[in-house]
Amino acid sequence: MKKWISSVLAICLIVSLVACNSNTDTAEEAGNQTQSESNVQETMPPADESELPDEQLGGFIQTASIAETVMVDENGVRITATGLNYTNYSVELALTIENNSGKDLSFISGSLGYSCNSINGYMVSEGYLNCDVADGKKANETISFSYSGLMLYGIDEIADIEIGFDISDEDYNHTYSGPRQVRTSAFDGYDYSEDRYQNAITDRATMNAYGYDITHFSQENLYNVNDITLLSSGVMVNQDGETSLLLELENRTEDMVYLSTSDIALNGLVVSSSTWSSTVINPGKRCIIVVELSSVLAPEHWSIYGINEVGSVALSLNQLDPNGNYIAEERSIEIMVPGVDTGYDATGEEVYRNNGLRIVAKTILEDSSEYSSDMYVLMLAENTSGRTLTIDDTYDSLSVNGYMTDYSFYSAELADGESAALEIRLQESSLEENQIASVSDISEIEVGFEIKADRDIIDEPTVLIQFDS
């Protein structure tokens, strides 16, 4: 049976994009960061390491402290921040949790289900907590934030920490605290008006430390809806050649807002139609949305579609309230990289043409990962129908060499004039059952599609893709 894959809405850490193999000891005593390059608003060519100055990233300042602070004192629950502790790799917020609610309770923070944590005005996806406290008992816990993650945001000391708690009982009744702030001894002297993220992410010392390049950076305001505004955008390439889009946004409202991304196009080719990410922004805070383009479209597939480097990235932004209600009209933005080819290759073997929709087969590839032997059928669809079309598969319709085969397929939505990459992933286990060990063993693939205009089905073709033996 076909295995459906659902979209996962996750808050991305910038630190996951870069190779954190720095030779810099971030636990050293504090040092001043080098002069930033934050005003760059054009394409930045990859650096020639032989010409780079020996710029080093300063250490994390470990002098800030806190007075004991009650964060939650409601309904028999009391959460108190008792201190800041500095380790070789992270700063830890110590908590004492007291439960006199009459029920056994669970406390969660920083999870995919509930995360509204921030440090120094920037939303962070660290700060994980998961503990159970019986009624009438106490627990001492710590919440940890890595220096490497914070330094990429330009945070080299702690001025304040905001933590949100999900408190639930055994009957799955949840209480969400919202963000609760703890101020440190550095708070009064901290300049919140400075955009420390922009200074850090474009700084050569940070790039040297974490092994990445910012190949394009812009402060052009491409999005300003309901006082949610785009402050900067950048294209990051790490030392493994993986590419990501970085979007810095600020919430200038008095309400918590969830911002989702969808409909991602690379060099004009739609590579994801579904919701890709969802990120919360607390009132008055900034967040960094990371769109890992090498995850949206696998790097080994780029050349198949004629994409050699990022010339443009387009995506849609949606605003939702904490209850999941849309609070602003969807808006598309496009980040252009000057001087880079923005085209793609639409050629291939035509396997379908009707109702203004054309589908071509590009190739079939084996998974490049050492952990998987799945195979990918790569196709491309062009819509010239004058309408928005949706392409989905007919459930459990795919066969390889006449044998039913498990697979996954993401539907694609194309506005008039758009083209989209289509990807069918053939499951390794099913291929093995049918004695298919390599691409050369495949002579034909047959799959059914469902084509919709608005909500009406306009065609249900069965597509046959044949391969030379």
Side-chain angles (χ1 to χ4, degrees), residues 216-439:
H216 174 70
F217 192 81
S218 173
Q219 295 167 319
E220 184 179 1
N221 186 351
L222 300 174
Y223 183 87
N224 191 350
V225 178
N226 285 353
D227 282 333
I228 305 295
T229 187
L230 181 71
L231 300 180
S232 71
S233 58
V235 177
M236 168 190 278
V237 181
N238 70 13
Q239 65 181 22
D240 294 325
E242 297 168 332
T243 304
S244 296
L245 175 70
L246 311 180
L247 301 176
E248 178 194 14
L249 294 112
E250 184 175 36
N251 179 1
R252 297 174 179 172
T253 75
E254 297 181 356
D255 300 309
M256 180 183 290
V257 174
Y258 284 81
L259 196 64
S260 69
T261 62
S262 62
D263 305 320
I264 301 169
L266 183 58
N267 286 13
L269 180 68
V270 176
V271 291
S272 176
S273 297
S274 60
T275 299
W276 183 256
S277 67
S278 180
T279 304
V280 64
I281 317 178
N282 292 342
K285 299 298 188 286
R286 297 174 181 178
C287 77
I288 313 303
I289 293 179
V290 181
V291 181
E292 299 182 46
L293 299 175
S294 296
S295 296
V296 181
L297 183 67
E300 59 268 27
H301 298 174
W302 286 34
S303 61
I304 303 300
Y305 291 104
I307 299 172
N308 298 313
E309 56 183 324
V310 176
S312 69
V313 183
L315 52 79
S316 296
L317 294 172
N318 258 314
Q319 294 181 29
L320 299 90
D321 65 19
N323 295 319
N325 301 310
Y326 290 98
I327 56 178
E329 184 178 352
E330 182 178 83
R331 183 75 58 85
S332 297
I333 64 171
E334 185 172 21
I335 290 84
M336 303 293 298
V337 180
V340 178
D341 180 22
T342 59
Y344 59 87
D345 179 10
T347 63
E349 178 187 352
E350 185 173 298
V351 294
Y352 175 80
R353 183 192 286 269
N354 196 21
N355 297 309
L357 179 67
R358 175 176 179 263
I359 300 176
V360 300
K362 303 286 286 184
T363 191
I364 182 169
L365 295 176
E366 296 181 16
D367 196 318
S368 62
S369 169
E370 60 180 308
Y371 306 106
S372 170
S373 295
D374 291 347
M375 297 183 191
Y376 296 86
V377 182
L378 302 183
M379 311 170 77
L380 183 143
E382 294 178 326
N383 177 17
T384 57
S385 68
R387 299 176 290 181
T388 295
L389 300 179
T390 301
I391 304 172
D392 207 345
D393 64 310
T394 302
Y395 176 73
D396 208 19
S397 66
L398 186 140
S399 64
V400 177
N401 297 350
Y403 291 90
M404 302 304 295
T405 302
D406 293 341
Y407 68 102
S408 59
F409 176 81
Y410 289 103
S411 64
E413 183 176 277
L414 293 81
D416 181 44
E418 286 187 335
S419 295
L422 305 180
E423 176 187 285
I424 300 173
R425 183 170 185 164
L426 307 177
Q427 304 287 342
E428 172 186 357
S429 58
S430 189
L431 292 171
E432 288 178 348
E433 291 173 357
N434 297 333
Q435 289 76 53
I436 296 173
S438 68
V439 168

Side-chain angles (χ1 to χ4, degrees), residues 71-72 79 81 93 95 108-110 114-119 124 126-129 143-145 160-166 177-182 282:
M71 303 179 72
V72 176
I79 303 176
L93 178 68
L95 302 174
I108 293 175
S109 177
Y114 188 66
S115 181
C116 60
N117 301 341
S118 71
I119 293 182
V124 295
E126 294 188 69
Y128 180 70
L129 170 73
I143 293 181
S144 179
F145 303 89
D160 82 275
I161 300 176
E162 287 192 355
I163 302 293
F165 300 96
D166 172 5
S177 71
R180 302 297 176 95
Q181 187 184 61
V182 177
N282 292 342

Side-chain angles (χ1 to χ4, degrees), residues 120 135 201 212 241 279 391 403 445 448 462:
N120 296 7
D135 180 43
I201 202 70
Y212 70 89
T279 304
I391 304 172
Y403 291 90
I445 294 173
T462 297

